Amino acid sequence: MTQRRDFIKKSLIGGTGLAIGGIGFSAKSYASIIGSNDRINVAVIGIKGRGVSHINAWCDLKNSHNVRLKTLCDVDEQFFDPRAKTVLEKTGIKPLTEWDMRKVLEDKEIDAVSFATPNHWHALGTIWACQAGKHVYVEKPSSHNIWEGRKMIEASRKYNVRVQVGFQNRSIPNVMEAMKFLHDGGIGEVNIARGLCIKPRDSFGIAKDSTPPSTLHYNRWLGPAPYRAYNEKRGHYNWHWFWDTGNGDTGNQGPHQFDVARWGLNKNEHPVSIFSSGGIYGIDPSECAQETPNTQISIAKYQDGKILEFETRGRYSNSEAGLGIKVGNIFYGNDGYLEIDGDTWKAYRKQEKEPFAGSKAASNEVASLTGSSNTEHFVNFLDAIKSGKHETLHCDIREGHYSSAVPFLANISYRLGRELKFMGDYEKFANDLEADTMLSRVYRHPYIVPTEV
């Protein structure tokens, strides 16, 4: 069944030697297999926000895993000095800094890159890196839309490089234990998975278009997105709340819990139907530029009738379940239910009030996904590079694509205001050309995700 669902990948026949984004160097998988004792040279692309966790992780692994953080790259040069200082203090080595990722990819000493850019750059950056023979760690969601995710899978396979998606839960021991418990029938057959993203966010306001800061290479920041005049409210972090660059909180924090939900359901496929509804509540639209909903309920159904339910609640709210979950998951089975909050889980049998199974004490290393380097997932990426095997990855790009696709489908349903039927084998909607146009996007020259990677 899995082979049939992945028939799209079988068109990945081709050689090397393609020009990468028109920048004039050939693809060589010189980094595809690295000896167990060799140093791995890494570059971080996108060094604000989540990029700080990437920097900390690679620095923390310098001695234990022979990692050198060689280069920091960001289109906003204001972050170069403070981030380079961090690396120097942690490792004793001052990294190079570069605003143009293409120059980073030209460096044949770089074995791997980790992307913490805005979502709209994930796919093109990853594909360029694959073509350059670099292994890739890319943040969630794996891409900005479903079509891009498929192209990323093709690029990983064609150039034989490892691509790990930053779904860190996949490498947290207690979460892995909870998934095994579910898959082994701990609460019977699991029928419904519920994901929660309860993150109250206040208005970030509104501003007039203006001139970009002198430190920002704004045209490159836009990249594949349509051209818009610079606006400070659409930039750092706020890019999440605009469709051209982000995917709202359903596609921001949400993918982590969509991934755990799909994992718990043991679904290695796309849903067959999706419905999502919501809106912007509690914020005056005339006083905030946000486009994406802050409140959204999504329901995905699989071929066998099992349901993945997800709620994005961006206003003031209570938590849910016995663990007081605000960002987490609940699974409902024939014989009970299971709650996961961070790396803590508890299982309840039928109507009993006390858990009959649960996690060990929480690890001190596992903090919030944004406040910790979570080195386990980065270590797994390094191990996969050295093994030379995609299957060694805890969240290979194919796995990340399936989990990212569900919130993408939910957002399409939300924007169109109706339930959608999806044909997962073809990654197309059933007799719905309007919805099909939203599986990809119109790219801005020359930042075009290629049909043939």
Side-chain angles (χ1 to χ4, degrees), residues 31 40-44 109-114 134-136 381 385:
I40 297 179
N41 293 313
V42 176
V44 176
E109 286 191 354
I110 297 293
D111 303 302
V113 295
S114 62
K134 316 298 186 189
H135 303 286
V136 177
F381 175 57
I385 291 175

Side-chain angles (χ1 to χ4, degrees), residues 144-356:
H144 186 255
N145 59 61
I146 290 175
W147 182 80
E148 289 180 347
R150 180 56 58 181
K151 297 294 111 179
M152 294 166 78
I153 297 172
E154 292 175 6
S156 170
R157 302 311 190 249
K158 182 173 183 177
Y159 299 104
N160 190 29
V161 291
R162 259 40 72 209
V163 178
Q164 172 101 304
V165 181
F167 287 118
Q168 297 96 317
N169 287 297
R170 294 270 175 172
S171 295
I172 297 176
N174 280 353
V175 179
M176 298 166 77
E177 177 188 67
M179 295 298 102
K180 185 177 187 304
F181 180 84
L182 288 175
H183 296 166
D184 288 347
I187 59 171
E189 184 177 5
V190 179
N191 302 305
I192 299 174
R194 175 167 168 76
L196 289 167
C197 173
I198 302 174
K199 277 195 168 185
R201 300 187 189 274
D202 293 325
S203 169
F204 55 82
I206 198 165
K208 293 182 179 180
D209 294 344
S210 60
T211 302
S214 60
T215 58
L216 176 64
H217 298 266
Y218 180 61
N219 185 63
R220 180 60 60 79
W221 184 89
L222 281 174
Y227 180 81
R228 291 180 182 270
Y230 173 78
N231 190 296
E232 64 180 68
K233 297 300 183 181
R234 300 180 71 98
H236 295 307
Y237 201 77
N238 288 342
W239 56 262
H240 282 293
W241 324 128
F242 297 92
W243 295 118
D244 284 349
T245 50
N247 306 89
D249 239 346
T250 294
N252 172 34
Q253 176 61 52
H256 284 299
Q257 277 58 60
F258 273 100
D259 180 58
V260 173
R262 186 182 66 83
W263 188 9
L265 286 173
N266 211 14
K267 290 299 176 188
N268 299 309
E269 60 194 82
H270 292 300
V272 296
S273 69
I274 186 82
F275 176 74
S276 185
S277 183
I280 299 175
Y281 297 97
I283 294 176
D284 186 341
S286 68
E287 297 177 357
C288 182
Q290 180 169 341
E291 293 177 347
T292 62
N294 63 7
T295 302
Q296 189 175 356
I297 297 173
S298 307
I299 299 175
K301 182 175 286 189
Y302 289 88
Q303 184 66 50
D304 61 1
K306 294 186 178 181
I307 291 173
L308 193 165
E309 179 189 63
F310 195 87
E311 183 172 1
T312 300
R313 203 183 303 166
R315 301 307 294 158
Y316 315 118
S317 173
N318 60 300
S319 56
E320 289 196 9
L323 286 175
I325 297 172
K326 288 200 170 181
V327 176
N329 293 82
I330 309 169
F331 296 88
Y332 301 94
N334 288 341
D335 300 327
Y337 62 97
L338 182 146
E339 307 170 354
I340 303 179
D341 183 27
D343 69 344
T344 301
W345 65 274
K346 293 182 179 181
Y348 296 80
R349 184 180 287 111
K350 298 184 178 179
Q351 298 187 50
E352 294 178 3
K353 303 299 182 183
E354 296 298 323
F356 73 97

Side-chain angles (χ1 to χ4, degrees), residues 26 117 132 191 289 335 411:
S26 296
T117 61
N191 302 305
D335 300 327
N411 279 338

Side-chain angles (χ1 to χ4, degrees), residues 56-68:
N56 288 334
W58 299 127
C59 289
D60 291 346
L61 296 171
K62 173 181 178 289
N63 295 324
S64 63
H65 288 76
N66 202 10
V67 173
R68 177 192 177 193

